[in-house]
C-alpha cells in the first residue's frame, strides 16, 4: 500500500501484489493470460516473443551490469603474455557483438567503470579491430602453428601431420600402457567457459570464430547457470571466461579488483594484483570528497585497462515487461533491478475526465 507520509506526490495505485512462479515460462504465461500486470525480468531468449505481445510494453533500460571476457593467467601459461591478451582483444569487435550478436541489447564499454559512475571517462581508440596485427602478435609470442613453422626447421613428417617428439612445440606425452592418453595441449589451444543461456552462447560463438580467424583453437565449455558460481567462479576453473559483473547500489569496483578479494571467497576472479590499484581503491573508499574519489577511480581505470586482465565488452540491458494498462512508466537506466520502482508513485491505471 502507498506510504502516506511519502515526501513526493502520493502514489495513484492503491495496492501492489507480488506473485511468485517456479520459472520464467510460468510467469510469462501468467502475463500473457492477464493474471499479472508485469514480470520482473525477461530473459534474452524470451525477449522477442514477449515484445510481440500487444498487451505488454517491454522496457529495456541499461543496468549496472557488464559483460566481461576474463583471462586466467594461472590455468594457461600463454595468457601470462600480454601480447597474447592484446591479440585476443584486437580480434573482438565489440560493436559487432552489441549491434548484431545480441541484437542491440547493450552498450559498448572499454573499462571497468560504466557511464555515470564516479571517475568514468570515455576511453578513446580502444575499439580498434585488427586481425592482421593480432596474428603478428601471436607469431611473436610463438603460440600459433605459423609462428612455430617460421621459427624452426620442421621435419617432413611434421609437415605431413605426424609430430616430432624432438621438438618442444610438437611433443606428445608418453602413452601409458593402460591408456588413452591425450595429446599434449598445443600452445594455441584455449578453453572458453560460459554460463548456459542464448545470449552467452551467441557471444561465445562469435568470440570463437574471431579467435580462430587469427590462429587460435577455442573449445567452448558451457556450464549450467545453477552451478556456475560454485563450479567455475569459486574454484577459478577456467582459462577464458565470459560472464557478467553486477554492481550494487554503491557502484564500488573494490570487490572485483582489490587484491584482498583474491581467493575462493572473493570476487577478484582473475586474482589480479596491482599495489597502485589497491591504494587507489582504498583511497576512493576512504575519502568523502567527490573530486578525490573521481581522480582515484580515473587512475584506477587507466591502470586496469593498461594491465589488460580482462576485455570489457558491453553493458547489458534489463528487460522488464509490464501491462499497457499501467501508464506513465519511465525507465531510462537503473542501477539495480528494484530501481524499476523508483518512480512508482507516478504510475497510474485509471483516468477520468475533469472540468478545467
Amino acid at each position: 500500500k502507498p506510504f502516506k507520509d511519502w515526501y513526493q506526490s502520493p502514489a495513484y495505485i492503491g495496492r501492489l501484489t507480488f506473485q511468485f512462479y517456479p520459472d520464467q515460462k510460468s510467469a510469462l504465461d501468467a502475463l500473457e493470460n492477464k493474471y499479472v500486470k508485469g514480470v520482473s525480468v525477461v530473459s534474452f531468449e524470451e525477449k522477442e516473443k514477449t515484445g510481440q505481445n500487444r498487451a505488454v510494453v517491454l522496457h529495456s533500460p541499461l543496468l549496472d551490469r557488464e559483460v566481461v571476457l576474463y583471462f586466467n593467467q594461472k590455468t594457461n601459461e600463454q595468457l601470462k603474455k600480454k601480447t597474447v591478451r592484446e591479440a585476443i582483444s584486437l580480434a573482438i569487435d565489440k560493436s559487432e557483438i552489441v549491434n548484431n550478436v545480441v541484437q542491440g541489447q547493450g552498450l559498448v564499454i572499454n573499462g571497468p567503470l560504466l557511464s555515470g559512475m564516479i571517475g568514468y571517462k570515455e576511453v578513446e581508440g580502444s575499439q580498434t579491430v585488427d586481425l592482421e596485427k593480432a596474428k603478428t602478435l601471436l607469431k611473436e609470442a610463438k603460440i600459433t602453428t605459423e609462428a612455430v613453422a617460421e621459427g624452426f626447421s620442421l621435419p617432413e613428417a611434421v609437415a605431413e601431420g605426424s609430430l616430432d617428439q624432438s621438438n618442444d612445440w610438437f611433443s606428445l606425452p608418453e602413452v601409458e600402457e593402460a591408456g588413452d592418453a591425450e595429446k599434449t595441449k598445443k600452445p594455441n589451444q584455449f578453453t572458453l567457459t560460459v554460463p548456459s543461456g542464448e545470449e552467452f552462447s551467441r557471444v561465445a560463438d562469435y568470440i570463437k570464430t574471431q579467435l580462430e580467424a587469427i590462429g587460435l583453437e577455442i573449445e567452448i565449455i558451457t556450464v549450467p547457470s545453477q552451478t556456475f558460481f560454485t563450479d567455475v567462479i569459486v574454484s577459478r576453473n577456467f582459462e577464458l571466461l565470459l560472464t557478467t559483473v553486477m554492481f550494487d547500489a554503491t557502484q564500488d569496483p573494490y570487490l572485483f579488483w582489490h587484491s584482498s578479494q583474491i581467493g575462493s571467497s572473493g570476487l577478484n576472479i582473475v586474482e589480479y594484483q596491482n599495489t597502485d590499484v589497491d591504494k587507489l581503491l582504498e583511497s576512493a573508499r576512504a575519502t568523502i570528497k567527490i573530486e578525490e574519489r573521481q581522480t582515484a577511480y580515473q587512475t584506477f581505470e587507466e591502470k586496469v585497462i593498461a594491465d589488460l586482465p580482462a576485455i570489457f565488452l558491453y553493458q547489458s540491458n534489463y528487460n522488464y515487461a509490464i501491462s499497457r494498462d499501467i501508464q506513465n512508466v519511465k525507465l531510462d537506466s537503473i542501477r539495480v533491478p528494484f530501481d524499476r520502482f523508483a518512480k512508482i508513485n507516478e504510475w497510474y491505471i485509471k483516468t477520468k475526465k475533469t472540468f478545467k
Side-chain angles (χ1 to χ4, degrees):
K1 293 183 179 180
F3 179 53
K4 63 179 182 178
D5 294 324
W6 176 242
Y7 73 98
Q8 294 184 355
S9 58
Y12 298 111
I13 297 176
R15 179 183 292 273
L16 195 64
T17 303
F18 290 90
Q19 300 281 359
F20 295 89
Y21 293 88
D23 51 50
Q24 184 165 98
K25 184 180 184 304
S26 301
L28 290 174
D29 285 345
L31 178 66
E32 186 170 356
N33 291 302
K34 300 184 179 181
Y35 295 133
V36 295
K37 295 291 187 180
V39 171
S40 60
V41 60
V42 178
S43 68
F44 183 88
E45 293 88 339
E46 299 291 343
K47 176 180 177 293
E48 183 176 357
K49 179 182 177 181
T50 305
Q52 293 172 352
N53 185 342
R54 294 184 179 182
V56 168
V57 176
L58 187 62
H59 295 272
S60 298
L62 286 169
L63 186 65
D64 279 1
R65 178 178 61 198
E66 53 191 26
V67 178
V68 184
L69 180 66
Y70 287 102
F71 301 115
N72 191 339
Q73 299 179 39
K74 292 190 174 181
T75 57
N76 191 313
E77 290 289 318
Q78 301 301 334
L79 292 173
K80 291 182 177 180
K81 303 173 183 177
K82 190 176 180 182
T83 52
V84 173
R85 305 197 303 274
E86 289 175 341
I88 293 173
S89 179
L90 286 169
I92 297 174
D93 188 338
K94 301 176 186 180
S95 295
E96 176 70 14
I97 291 176
V98 169
N99 295 332
N100 296 316
V101 179
V102 298
Q103 304 171 338
Q105 282 283 285
L107 179 69
V108 169
I109 60 174
N110 297 302
L113 299 180
L114 300 175
S115 177
M117 290 184 177
I118 297 174
Y120 171 81
K121 184 179 180 182
E122 183 66 36
V123 181
E124 298 179 359
S126 56
Q127 296 184 41
T128 304
V129 179
D130 192 332
L131 298 185
E132 293 306 313
K133 185 176 180 181
K135 292 177 184 178
T136 300
L137 290 174
L138 292 179
K139 289 180 181 180
E140 292 174 357
K142 292 183 170 57
I143 74 164
T144 61
T145 303
E146 291 83 355
V148 177
E150 289 179 4
F152 298 90
S153 175
L154 301 179
E156 183 178 350
V158 174
E160 293 175 355
S162 62
L163 304 183
D164 179 7
Q165 293 186 14
S166 67
N167 190 301
D168 288 340
W169 288 101
F170 292 92
S171 62
L172 288 171
E174 300 241 342
V175 178
E176 299 176 1
E177 292 182 2
D180 297 322
E182 296 182 355
K183 294 181 180 180
T184 300
K185 186 170 184 175
K186 295 185 289 185
N188 69 327
Q189 292 179 322
F190 298 87
T191 59
L192 170 58
T193 303
V194 300
S196 57
E198 185 179 344
E199 178 180 359
F200 291 108
S201 176
R202 288 189 181 192
V203 177
D205 286 341
Y206 168 79
I207 291 174
K208 174 181 170 72
T209 299
Q210 291 300 101
L211 298 189
E212 290 183 342
I214 61 174
L216 301 182
E217 295 181 16
I218 305 297
E219 176 190 359
I220 296 175
I221 300 174
T222 303
V223 179
S225 298
Q226 298 87 339
T227 61
F228 188 79
F229 185 78
T230 53
D231 292 350
V232 179
I233 302 299
V234 173
S235 62
R236 308 299 196 250
N237 183 24
F238 64 90
E239 294 180 0
L240 300 175
L241 173 67
L242 180 69
T243 189
T244 58
V245 171
M246 180 75 181
F247 288 95
D248 61 18
T250 66
Q251 300 181 317
D252 188 355
Y254 182 100
L255 294 175
F256 307 113
W257 298 107
H258 194 277
S259 63
S260 66
Q261 304 304 303
I262 290 174
S264 60
S265 61
L267 292 177
N268 184 345
I269 59 178
V270 291
E271 303 195 350
Y272 173 74
Q273 297 185 64
N274 184 312
T275 303
D276 292 336
V277 165
D278 283 353
K279 291 178 180 177
L280 289 164
L281 290 173
E282 290 163 9
S283 64
R285 273 191 162 189
T287 184
I288 59 173
K289 296 181 179 179
I290 295 297
E291 297 80 5
E292 292 180 359
R293 185 175 296 173
Q294 182 167 338
T295 299
Y297 279 147
Q298 283 181 351
T299 308
F300 147 77
E301 182 166 54
E302 291 169 0
K303 289 186 177 293
V304 171
I305 291 172
D307 288 341
L308 198 57
I311 301 174
F312 303 92
L313 299 174
Y314 62 96
Q315 180 181 4
S316 55
N317 292 88
Y318 172 80
N319 297 314
Y320 176 50
I322 192 165
S323 168
R324 289 188 182 276
D325 292 342
I326 312 297
Q327 302 293 308
N328 204 32
V329 179
K330 299 174 183 177
L331 295 175
D332 299 320
S333 63
I334 57 178
R335 289 188 178 183
V336 289
F338 58 73
D339 279 349
R340 66 186 183 276
F341 296 125
K343 296 183 178 180
I344 193 172
N345 61 305
E346 299 177 3
W347 299 4
Y348 61 85
I349 300 174
K350 297 179 179 179
T351 60
K352 64 179 180 180
K353 295 180 179 180
T354 59
F355 291 104
K356 293 185 178 179

